[in-house]
Amino acid sequence: MGSDSFGVMMCTFVGRLAAVSAGNFNEEFDITWGDGHGKIFNNGQLLTLNLDHYSGSGFQSKKQYLFGKIDMQLKLVPRNSAGTVTAYYLRSQGPTWDEIDFVFLGNLSGHPYTVHTNVYSQGKGDREQQFHLWFDPTVNFHTYSVLWNPQRIVFSVDGIPIREFRNLEAIGVPLPKNQPMRIYSSLWNADDWATRGGLIKTDWSQAPFTASYRNFKVDGSRAWLLQQMDSTNQRRLYWVRKNHMIYNYCTDTKRFPQGFPKECAVH
């Protein structure tokens, strides 16, 4: 895409969004599957997804987004959530899609949730990093954010960055930046792989499993366009990686015996 076309697209996006405060789920999202397992309450201020023996559920945004800072507050499935997966992600359409993933893997009561992150560009992903949260994400709502601009993608939890994926097009690593994406979320059963590689199965006596959402916000102001990681956030990112990262594809020698992907030399 040429620079002139890119500039037009950016201006169109910013003009459409402006600065958006907390969104209304009735106005911003459609519940797309689940046969009544997804519900909106409180005049559009609260959304819940449910999973039982019969079905999971999911929703998607009515709008598409190209860059911005996107916040959502989630309260994850409580108690024994082993086997369940709550996904919250952005994705474009087509065979060479772009995607930015938060995926929450349930666990036995008292054991930490695993937060799985991934970035797809032009249909290629395999860039997984996983973390254990430093709090119980089922007791209260916490804010999960994606900052997405032409220079970087930053995943944050309660304002603390947990991952940065930088623009490394100069060394041949594409960054999602040309395809608008919708916001999606879903709750489903994945006990064939989600918890300890599928060793722990879903306990259906705990159903229904419920994930709750509130305070959706998209910041379409220009402040995010050139936003970088300042020294404070670099220190926070280092703290998370040192103390809470449990998997990094860039250190998985068994998976990449012929050498790591190009971006691993920098990230």
Side-chain angles (χ1 to χ4, degrees):
M1 177 178 291
S3 58
D4 292 342
S5 299
F6 181 70
V8 169
M9 185 163 57
M10 282 291 299
C11 290
T12 301
F13 173 77
V14 172
R16 183 174 71 247
L17 275 182
V20 180
S21 58
N24 183 294
F25 285 105
N26 284 317
E27 298 172 359
E28 301 288 344
F29 292 92
D30 292 316
I31 294 176
T32 49
W33 65 281
D35 192 26
H37 286 65
K39 300 180 185 299
I40 298 175
F41 302 95
N42 299 349
N43 296 317
Q45 299 305 304
L46 177 69
L47 186 152
T48 62
L49 295 181
N50 292 279
L51 165 69
D52 60 21
H53 244 314
Y54 300 99
S55 180
S57 47
F59 65 85
Q60 70 179 46
S61 63
K62 298 177 187 289
K63 299 174 184 175
Q64 299 183 73
Y65 302 95
L66 183 65
F67 305 133
K69 183 173 183 293
I70 299 169
D71 299 333
M72 183 79 80
Q73 289 193 335
L74 281 76
K75 184 161 63 172
L76 298 176
V77 174
R79 300 181 301 279
N80 182 0
S81 59
T84 71
V85 170
T86 306
Y88 165 55
Y89 59 103
L90 292 89
R91 182 181 168 119
S92 66
Q93 301 300 308
T96 56
W97 77 96
D98 294 339
E99 186 172 333
I100 303 169
D101 294 345
F102 269 114
V103 181
F104 306 94
L105 309 181
N107 212 333
L108 295 170
S109 298
H111 292 261
Y113 258 82
T114 296
V115 181
H116 174 104
T117 66
N118 205 347
V119 176
Y120 286 76
S121 185
Q122 301 176 13
K124 182 185 182 304
D126 300 327
R127 300 182 175 109
E128 300 90 346
Q129 291 183 357
Q130 295 183 343
F131 308 84
H132 279 161
L133 292 171
W134 51 95
F135 54 84
D136 184 344
T138 72
V139 176
N140 297 304
F141 283 90
H142 293 270
T143 303
Y144 301 89
S145 306
V146 172
L147 170 69
W148 174 32
N149 66 30
Q151 289 77 44
R152 58 187 40 80
I153 296 166
V154 180
F155 298 77
S156 298
V157 178
D158 289 338
I160 297 175
I162 65 170
R163 179 176 186 178
E164 180 186 28
F165 188 87
R166 281 180 269 170
N167 186 332
L168 298 174
E169 292 173 311
I171 62 171
V173 181
L175 181 85
K177 70 174 191 179
N178 296 327
Q179 302 186 68
M181 296 195 261
R182 294 188 192 277
I183 300 166
Y184 297 85
S185 192
S186 55
L187 172 60
W188 79 96
N189 176 49
D191 66 3
D192 56 333
W193 64 270
T195 306
R196 293 185 59 193
L199 293 177
I200 309 297
K201 300 301 183 182
T202 302
D203 180 359
W204 292 108
S205 70
Q206 303 292 315
F209 303 98
T210 301
S212 303
Y213 303 74
R214 71 179 187 187
N215 290 349
F216 164 70
K217 184 187 299 183
V218 175
D219 183 353
S221 69
R222 290 191 175 274
W224 50 261
L225 183 57
L226 297 174
Q227 185 169 327
Q228 301 185 30
M229 293 274 286
D230 60 21
S231 58
T232 298
N233 280 319
Q234 290 284 5
R235 288 193 297 270
R236 290 171 173 169
L237 179 63
Y238 175 79
W239 174 80
V240 172
R241 291 174 64 90
K242 180 181 178 181
N243 295 289
H244 299 283
M245 177 182 279
I246 60 170
Y247 176 80
N248 182 2
Y249 73 110
C250 283
T251 60
D252 192 339
T253 54
K254 291 183 179 178
R255 186 174 172 191
F256 298 105
Q258 304 304 316
F260 296 117
K262 295 178 183 177
E263 66 269 18
C264 292
V266 179
H267 281 132

